[in-house]
Amino acid sequence: MKIELVESLKGHTGKVWNAKWNPQGTLLASCGEDKTIRLWGKSGQQWKAKAVLQDGHQKTIREVSWSPSGKCLASASFDGTTAIWDNDSGQFECNATIEGHENEVKSVSYSPSGQFLATCSRDKSVWVWELENGEYECSSVLNAHTQDVKKVIWHPHEDLIASASYDNSIKMFKEDPADNEWMTVATLNSHNSTVWSISFDQTGTRLVSCSDDQTVKIWKQYKPGNPEGVPTVDNEATWKCVCTISGYHDGSVFDVAWCKLTGHIATACADNCIRIFQEVEPSNDNQPNFELMAVKHHAHEQDVNSVFWHPTEPGLLCSTSDDSLVKIWEIEND
Amino acid sequence: MGAGKLSLQNINPKLFLKSDKRCETADDWDENVVDDFDEREVFDLIRNINDPEHPLTLEELNVVDINNIEVDNESNKINVRFTPTIPHCSMATLIGLTIKVQLIRSLPARFKVSVKITPGTHSTEDAINKQLADKERVSAAIENSTLVDTINQCLATIEKYYN
């Protein structure tokens, strides 16, 4: 397996923290230290700069996230706010800013239904926002983590939130149908340092996490009454670490992405490399083996901060780095 | 990583001698000689950082020492360990951050700079090391204008020594 460069996108100054394709795969949004969001699209065969969104934030933009429809883009900033950009006017404009966190917002994510938005912050909390009549209303403040919360994502098809923290744990939250209160339903302990990022597989029954401890872990969901006999509490599923991928990364692993189309796992590391892992078949569900399929050495000149798979084109991956570049890669089978 | 105005914690710190100037060799002036970064060069970048609470340099307080610096040009890694003057020093995070900021500003971006507390010299060394290693929190700290002012004050005296 080979990782080939398709495009190197220049425009940002300083660190580029994150980039995400819209659900249609037609636009790539990137953000960073220069407080701008850049939109990139395809002109013929090439990815080119389409628009620069500015003046939405006073400080670094840490992450961007598209709504499931692709009509809205949310951005999380160190200035403590989350901005919502929409293209109702024909171009993306910031038409709402949501406030509440005490300091840096680290991550933002839309629920698969588009009805909820989750944000997390250095203030240790996860906030759930509900879209009502076009306005984002805070429906819950979750103070389950004991430290800086680095990442928040949604389950691919359920209203379930997963968050990763500087407190070394991953937590999951869902709404209690009895009283509409959001509650902690799982705590995943195994990493020895900051958990930087998490990603569900296509089924949502497995999760991959990456950490400052230089490992990547695979977690499996065990529902109540599971045949393996894994104990569950309060009729909620237990998530158990079933595989630890160690010895490959020479630095913090800042991001991980599990491709919904191919099942490949990509990692972004402080050693400037991008790596691709794949499950070895046949693999025991309760003790799966993952193999390193490819490494791109010197993928960037500095730390790789994020990786994200294209939603419709198998094998297309984007990455961002402290070297101020956004890169697009094609993963080719030999 | 806040830096409040606190009363002096270590009223009478032990003082250490300053190093002599780096000895120049003929190679230093030869454009054809590949001149890698070495420990002394990194030490010279940080030894004149001012202590946040004393009109003294980190070298004079033995907070930084050339023997606690490792430079690996091949893998672009620079490891610096610093020794707080007392094991409960509340300024330790600020001092570490100042060393990190100075090295990030001065060295080529290819270097991965690690700044840690000398093992066994601070009561909360693991927590401080974790903060200093978290690039996201360091980036956010550098965007905090109050904190940057404090850091710049600690770094301001360096120029005095160079001139």
Side-chain angles (χ1 to χ4, degrees), chain A residues 60 62 166 270 272 303 305, chain B residues 112 130 134-136 143:
Chain A
T60 286
R62 178 65 182 90
Y166 188 91
N272 308 356
D303 294 2
N305 292 323
Chain B
K112 315 273 182 189
K130 191 172 182 180
D134 185 321
K135 69 179 242 187
E136 189 187 62
E143 281 186 86

Side-chain angles (χ1 to χ4, degrees), chain B residues 90-141:
Chain B
S90 66
M91 294 288 171
T93 311
L94 176 64
I95 292 169
L97 191 58
T98 307
I99 295 170
K100 191 141 190 173
V101 169
Q102 168 68 356
L103 293 177
I104 290 170
R105 284 180 185 169
S106 318
L107 293 165
R110 66 184 165 95
F111 280 111
K112 315 273 182 189
V113 178
S114 148
V115 175
K116 287 184 175 176
I117 289 185
T118 311
T121 64
H122 198 279
S123 55
T124 60
E125 64 179 80
D126 290 344
I128 294 171
N129 287 344
K130 191 172 182 180
Q131 284 218 45
L132 291 172
D134 185 321
K135 69 179 242 187
E136 189 187 62
R137 288 166 76 128
V138 170
S139 296

